């Protein structure tokens, strides 16, 4: 059985020797084959040295738990066991919660199973140990070795690039066997309890119990999980990758970030035959020797044959100091020098440079004058080797231009892509499930629309600004794809207000004020928007007064109220407020000057009134 199982791996070895277009790790030799099986390119973590993994995780700004715990043991329990195993276990048998339902515009529990699968499995485990403890022990060993033992073996750092529930399928399958045994055990107990009754009655009760268990567990799980697992009508991966390809000029090179923005592109190229002229370069793989060789050897080739295997095999992260970098480009009216210059900072732990960065520079040097080169907008800033001054956003990709840019977008290109070229199929369909990762990915469309809207806004073209914002809403409806960034949500409202539709900003402000757990700094910013953009001083006064009652010594709050009172010529209110401030801050000379100013204004108002 062991030989039969491992024989399936020969497929990798055989297939790799055919040089397929996608040949990850190139396991075409015994040494490469073993490297592939051992996952060498991903590195490893010591099973025993748990402190170093915890300490490294604490340095990551995206860590979920590492910076909230005080010891490696606590990290093991809180993150590696509770968050990275028990949470997934709960998804399977208790239900996954907190899913956004666009039809009701709220977060709901989509798969609560009333604990029934878990309780039935727990009963099955107890029943199994009572009836056959040897085989029950084997099943328990399987569950633990494919669950908690895997946790101990992997010693996972925080955070992970994606959810890892698939790593524990063996453990979930073991528990699922106990669910089946639990159902069987209940039937046996019922039949034993009714063995002296009429056989016909026993049969009917047994059939009823079978039907009840079927409805309560598998049917209920199917019903409550179906929507979140149904991919009918979900074209996001296809459309996003297609749209990215349509952003690119013929014979382009595009740098991508990771799996989610790379594999859909490869699928369209190798399965559908779309844009095979484009060379997709994955930055995550660009640190590996085998991938660099494929970029040199596989069509379309973007590295010269003179880059020898020996040179590639010696490429590793190296010590690096910040320095100016120069890349040759064709001479033009915008760049008569024939080169672009930029400063490159260390990219690896503040002291070194990664192989991927060296290869980006090499690929640019070899191709920038002959092939258009792009970065997908999913690529983070620290992976663009400080080329920001030369990157022009054309849509879902930024093109590396051979000269310094005054404007980061070309409005005609990006407008044509967003309005006439890109597909947004079913993003307005509430029957199509969009998970958190998809909704985050779709924010990239909004980023493109916002860049174009800001371009028109900064040039005073309010009609075009409004048209772009309207198109953004129809392409990626907010009801289906909520904003992940509250500031951008309100910024769009501000743009609408500047373009002549202030009620849209008012509606958004009224909505965010109803959200729970808003801190007073955010409420303060909302108050300023009511006052400065909408001229709604009454609403702003209400917000600032509410905050002032809780934070009377906060200078920003007092300043906001003073601004409102001055705008409304409410000098007595301003005088009273600054007088109370001086009682707690008697050394504030600016406040004393304001007090004199307000006193003078009050006297002037009184004189004007009596004179009238």
């Amino acid at each position: 059985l062991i030989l039969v199982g491992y024989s399936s791996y020969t497929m990798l070895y055989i297939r790799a020797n055919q040089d397929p277009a996608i040949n990850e790790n190139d396991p075409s030799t015994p040494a490469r084959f073993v490297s592939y099986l051992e996952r060498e390119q991903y590195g490893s973590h010591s099973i025993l040295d748990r402190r170093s993994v915890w300490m490294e995780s604490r340095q990551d700004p995206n860590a979920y738990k590492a910076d909230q715990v005080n010891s490696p043991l606590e990290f093991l329990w809180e993150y590696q066991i509770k968050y990275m195993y028990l949470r997934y276990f709960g998804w399977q048998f208790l239900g996954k919660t907190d899913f956004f339902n666009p039809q009701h515009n709220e977060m709901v529990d989509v798969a609560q199973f009333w604990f029934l699968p878990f309780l039935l499995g727990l009963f099955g485990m107890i029943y199994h140990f009572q009836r056959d403890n040897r085989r029950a022990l084997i099943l328990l060993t399987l569950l633990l070795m494919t669950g908690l033992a895997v946790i101990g073996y992997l010693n996972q750092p925080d955070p992970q690039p994606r959810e890892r529930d698939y790593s524990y399928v063996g453990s979930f399958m073991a528990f699922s066997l106990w669910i089946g045994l639990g159902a069987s055990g209940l039937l046996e107990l019922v039949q034993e309890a009714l063995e002296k009754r009429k056989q016909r009655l026993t049969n009917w009760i047994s059939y009823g119990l079978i039907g009840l268990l079927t409805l309560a567990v598998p049917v209920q799980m199917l019903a409550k999980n179906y929507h979140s697992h149904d991919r009918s009508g979900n074209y996001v991966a296809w459309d996003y990758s297609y749209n990215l390809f349509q952003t690119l000029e013929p014979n382009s090179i595009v740098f991508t970030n990771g799996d989610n923005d790379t594999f859909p592109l490869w699928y369209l190229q190798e399965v559908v035959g779309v844009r095979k002229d484009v060379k997709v370069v994955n930055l995550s793989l660009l640190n590996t020797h085998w991938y660099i060789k494929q970029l040199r050897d596989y069509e379309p080739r973007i590295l010269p044959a003179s880059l020898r295997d020996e040179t590639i095999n010696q490429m590793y992260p190296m010590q690096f100091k910040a320095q100016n970098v120069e890349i040759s480009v064709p001479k033009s009216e915008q760049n008569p020098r024939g080169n672009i210059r930029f400063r490159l900072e260390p990219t690896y732990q503040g002291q070194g440079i990664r192989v991927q960065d060296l290869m980006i520079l090499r690929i640019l040097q070899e191709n920038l004058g002959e092939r258009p080169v792009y970065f997908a907008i999913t690529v983070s800033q620290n992976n663009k080797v400080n080329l920001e001054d030369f990157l022009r956003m054309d849509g879902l990709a930024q093109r590396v231009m051979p000269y310094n840019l005054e404007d980061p977008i070309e409005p005609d290109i990006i407008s044509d892509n967003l309005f006439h070229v890109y597909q947004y199929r079913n993003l307005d369909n509430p029957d199509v499930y969009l998970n958190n990762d998809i909704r985050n990915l779709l924010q990239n469309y909004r980023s493109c629309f916002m860049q174009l809207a800001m371009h028109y806004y900064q040039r005073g073209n309010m009609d075009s600004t409004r048209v772009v914002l309207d198109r953004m809403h129809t392409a990626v409806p907010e009801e289906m794809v909520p904003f992940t960034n509250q500031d951008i949500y309100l910024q769009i409202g501000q743009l609408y207000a500047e373009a002549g539709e202030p009620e849209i900003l008012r509606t958004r402000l009224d909505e965010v004020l109803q959200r729970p757990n808003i801190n007073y700094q955010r409420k303060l910013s909302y108050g300023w928007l009511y006052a400065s953009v909408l001229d709604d001083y009454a609403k702003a006064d209400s917000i600032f007064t509410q905050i002032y009652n809780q934070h009377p010594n906060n200078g920003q709050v007092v300043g906001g109220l003073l601004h409102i009172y001055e705008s409304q010529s409410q000098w007595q209110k301003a005088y009273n407020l600054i007088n109370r401030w001086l009682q707690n801050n008697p050394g504030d000379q600016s406040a004393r000057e304001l007090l004199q100013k307000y006193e003078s204004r009050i006297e002037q108002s009184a004189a004007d009134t009596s004179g009238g």
Side-chain angles (χ1 to χ4, degrees):
L1 288 177
I2 292 173
L3 290 175
V4 169
Y6 274 102
S7 69
S8 63
Y9 284 103
T10 59
M11 181 272 292
L12 298 171
Y13 188 79
I14 295 170
R15 182 63 178 153
N17 276 281
Q18 309 306 308
D19 287 330
I22 301 174
N23 189 12
E24 291 206 57
N25 290 269
D26 186 22
S28 54
T29 67
R32 296 289 322 143
F33 182 67
V34 171
S35 173
Y36 175 83
L37 294 180
E38 294 182 346
R39 297 168 51 86
E40 286 183 1
Q41 77 176 66
Y42 299 104
S44 62
H45 302 284
S46 168
I47 299 176
L48 300 178
D49 186 7
R50 314 197 77 84
R51 172 171 287 276
S52 62
V53 172
W54 170 53
M55 295 303 294
E56 289 174 12
S57 298
R58 287 172 64 92
Q59 306 306 315
D60 194 311
N62 298 313
Y64 179 77
K65 284 284 188 181
D67 58 345
Q68 302 176 25
V69 299
N70 300 311
S71 69
L73 188 61
E74 192 177 355
F75 177 65
L76 168 66
W77 171 247
E78 291 292 336
Y79 178 72
Q80 295 179 332
I81 294 179
K82 282 180 63 176
Y83 189 74
M84 294 302 293
Y85 177 71
L86 296 181
R87 179 170 62 101
Y88 297 140
F89 188 91
W91 282 9
Q92 306 302 316
F93 307 112
L94 302 176
K96 187 176 181 180
T97 61
D98 294 339
F99 159 65
F100 181 79
N101 185 342
Q103 291 177 307
H104 298 1
N105 195 34
E106 62 182 2
M107 302 297 290
V108 295
D109 295 340
V110 295
Q112 284 300 306
F113 306 143
W114 306 327
F115 288 84
L116 294 179
F118 173 73
L119 293 174
L120 193 59
L122 189 62
F123 171 76
M125 180 184 70
I126 297 170
Y127 184 78
H128 198 191
F129 270 100
Q130 289 177 341
R131 295 299 179 97
D132 189 349
N133 58 14
R134 284 187 169 184
R135 289 184 177 84
L137 185 59
I138 292 173
L139 193 53
L140 177 63
T141 302
L142 176 64
L143 183 144
L144 294 176
M145 293 302 293
T146 55
L148 295 179
V150 171
I151 287 289
Y153 173 75
L154 293 177
N155 196 10
Q156 292 170 316
D158 178 12
Q160 292 291 302
R162 62 185 59 83
E163 298 288 9
R164 298 295 196 187
D165 48 319
Y166 56 83
S167 299
Y168 314 107
V169 169
S171 181
F172 303 150
M173 290 179 67
F175 190 80
S176 296
L177 293 175
W178 273 330
I179 293 178
L181 288 171
S184 175
L186 282 178
L187 281 173
E188 289 188 14
L189 290 178
V190 169
Q191 290 172 346
E192 289 173 2
L194 298 173
E195 63 181 353
K196 296 181 180 179
R197 304 268 183 168
K198 292 183 179 180
Q199 184 63 40
R200 187 174 181 182
L201 177 62
T202 301
N203 290 341
W204 277 112
I205 292 177
S206 297
Y207 295 149
L209 181 59
I210 292 172
L212 181 62
L213 288 174
T214 302
L215 289 172
V217 180
V219 172
Q220 183 200 193
M221 294 175 76
L222 174 64
K224 291 189 175 179
N225 271 330
Y226 186 82
H227 179 65
S228 61
H229 286 70
D230 178 22
R231 296 296 180 264
S232 301
N234 188 331
Y235 299 106
V236 172
W238 176 290
D239 285 353
Y240 189 92
S241 51
Y242 174 84
N243 294 342
L244 175 53
F245 271 141
Q246 301 315 305
T247 310
L248 313 177
E249 293 289 330
N251 301 310
S252 295
I253 298 169
V254 59
F255 293 109
T256 56
N257 192 60
D259 294 354
N260 290 349
D261 63 353
T262 303
F263 282 96
L265 299 177
W266 282 344
Y267 168 83
L268 285 188
Q269 285 186 319
E270 303 306 326
V271 178
V272 186
V274 173
R275 295 303 304 269
K276 293 180 74 71
D277 61 300
V278 173
K279 189 69 171 184
V280 178
V281 181
N282 183 288
L283 292 178
S284 300
L285 300 179
L286 199 53
N287 292 295
T288 64
H289 300 153
W290 59 268
Y291 187 62
I292 297 171
K293 295 172 186 176
Q294 290 181 5
L295 296 178
R296 178 197 62 189
D297 299 338
Y298 287 14
E299 296 289 350
R301 302 180 183 184
I302 60 173
L303 289 173
S306 59
L307 184 60
R308 303 180 65 82
D309 285 357
E310 294 79 6
T311 303
I312 296 173
N313 292 337
Q314 294 173 5
M315 290 183 177
Y316 292 98
M318 54 185 287
Q319 289 285 334
F320 184 82
K321 293 183 178 180
Q323 57 187 264
N324 295 323
V325 175
E326 185 175 292
I327 294 177
S328 299
V329 297
K331 292 183 179 180
S332 64
E333 181 179 342
Q334 298 96 330
N335 188 351
R337 295 194 318 266
N339 59 60
I340 59 175
R341 299 172 183 170
F342 54 95
R343 188 161 183 81
L344 183 59
E345 303 287 340
T347 58
Y348 185 68
Q349 297 183 350
Q351 300 179 4
I353 191 169
R354 300 166 297 190
V355 173
Q356 73 177 62
D357 303 307
L358 296 173
M359 291 311 304
I360 289 173
L361 299 177
R362 181 66 183 265
I363 291 170
L364 289 171
Q365 185 66 64
E366 297 287 345
N367 297 276
L368 194 53
E370 301 178 7
R371 302 170 64 111
V373 181
Y374 295 81
F375 285 89
I377 64 172
T378 45
V379 175
S380 62
Q381 289 297 109
N382 61 357
N383 284 339
K384 296 177 182 175
V385 295
N386 206 26
L387 282 167
E388 285 77 12
D389 292 340
F390 303 93
L391 295 180
R392 185 188 72 193
M393 176 180 275
D394 290 355
L396 295 179
Q398 294 175 292
R399 182 171 178 175
V400 182
M401 302 303 293
Y403 51 84
N404 214 305
L405 291 167
E406 295 181 2
D407 194 334
I409 72 168
E410 176 58 52
D412 292 339
I413 293 176
I414 192 171
S415 178
D416 185 55
N417 284 330
L418 292 173
F419 280 78
H420 307 298
V421 177
Y422 288 177
Q423 301 178 157
Y424 312 95
R425 288 182 293 175
N426 270 349
L427 297 186
D428 59 349
N429 187 347
D431 294 328
V432 175
Y433 172 70
L434 303 176
N435 64 25
N436 288 335
D437 291 331
I438 290 176
R439 294 203 301 272
N440 289 335
L441 180 72
L442 293 175
Q443 305 300 329
N444 291 322
Y445 287 128
R446 288 189 175 131
S447 177
C448 298
F449 279 110
M450 286 296 292
Q451 288 271 8
L452 184 60
M454 289 301 298
H455 172 87
Y456 289 131
Y457 169 75
Q458 291 166 357
R459 287 155 181 78
N461 190 341
M462 297 305 172
D463 289 339
S464 294
T465 300
R466 187 168 52 250
V467 168
V468 172
L469 295 176
D470 288 343
R471 177 56 177 153
M472 177 174 68
H473 181 72
T474 58
V476 190
E478 297 173 18
E479 298 81 10
M480 290 297 302
V481 186
F483 279 86
T484 56
N485 188 308
Q486 191 168 286
D487 294 332
I488 294 179
Y489 177 69
L490 291 177
Q491 185 183 6
I492 291 170
Q494 289 179 258
L495 288 174
Y496 268 117
E498 296 286 349
E501 297 189 35
E503 288 308 309
I504 293 179
L505 174 59
R506 182 184 303 277
T507 299
R508 289 169 183 254
L509 282 170
D510 291 345
E511 187 270 321
V512 297
L513 274 172
Q514 300 303 315
R515 296 178 183 177
N517 303 321
I518 304 176
N519 60 45
Y520 80 89
Q521 290 95 340
R522 282 199 173 276
K523 286 186 178 180
L524 195 63
S525 67
Y526 302 158
W528 280 112
L529 288 175
Y530 276 109
S532 61
V533 180
L534 299 176
D535 294 329
D536 189 342
Y537 293 103
K539 184 69 173 182
D541 190 351
S542 172
I543 293 172
F544 283 130
T545 300
Q546 181 186 32
I547 301 172
Y548 176 76
N549 291 335
Q550 298 172 344
H551 306 276
N553 292 318
N554 185 289
Q556 287 183 304
V557 180
V558 172
L561 279 171
L562 290 176
H563 172 76
I564 293 170
Y565 295 154
E566 288 186 8
S567 300
Q568 301 295 99
S569 299
Q570 295 176 333
W571 306 115
Q572 188 61 55
K573 284 188 174 182
Y575 177 87
N576 295 339
L577 179 64
I578 204 68
N579 194 35
R580 287 195 297 271
W581 172 266
L582 279 168
Q583 291 175 9
N584 295 319
N585 303 274
D588 190 337
Q589 187 58 38
S590 298
R592 291 200 175 277
E593 293 174 2
L594 283 174
L595 188 69
Q596 294 175 1
K597 170 186 171 182
Y598 296 147
E599 189 173 16
S600 174
R601 292 295 177 90
I602 292 170
E603 293 173 355
Q604 182 64 45
S605 296
D608 292 343
T609 301
S610 64

